Amino acid sequence: QVQLVESGGGLVQAGGSLRLSCAASGKIFRVNAMGWYRQAPGQQRELVATITSGGTTNYADSVKGRFTISRDNAKNTMLLQMNSLKPEDTAVYYCNAEVSPQYGFSFDYWGQGTQVTVSS
């Protein structure tokens, strides 16, 4: 079994910064792609940023230049540094990871979510 645990959410004023963390634990052979998604009330879950095991990143247009995704493969952790936050960034942020518990298999896992609220 694999668990993803997020931390770092909270309340911040517009223009401020937050850093989200995600840690994967359990039966892990390899963590493949990882990413952050968010879901605002009444809206569908959307991609924020992804990062491959090799470090290739991809960002939603709405966060480019403001958010930075990174990971530590040795520790199976991922960060999302969020700067210049806007009220429209308010959402529950979810960590996602494709994890291989053993060679030849991979499964998709989600964290429980962490609330980010940006006040105007």
Side-chain angles (χ1 to χ4, degrees), residues 41-107:
Q43 299 187 20
Q44 291 187 333
R45 190 172 298 187
E46 64 176 5
L47 180 148
V48 175
T50 61
I51 184 167
T52 66
S53 57
T56 299
T57 59
N58 179 55
Y59 295 93
D61 288 343
S62 59
V63 306
K64 282 181 181 177
R66 300 188 298 122
F67 291 10
T68 302
I69 189 171
S70 61
R71 63 188 286 174
D72 184 328
N73 290 336
K75 298 180 179 179
N76 292 330
T77 57
M78 174 177 64
L79 299 176
L80 184 69
Q81 178 66 43
M82 305 185 293
N83 298 328
S84 303
L85 282 160
K86 304 176 181 180
E88 51 263 44
D89 294 317
T90 296
V92 177
Y93 283 69
Y94 295 91
C95 170
N96 172 263
E98 181 187 274
V99 179
S100 295
Q102 63 187 73
Y103 179 79
F105 295 86
S106 65
F107 302 95

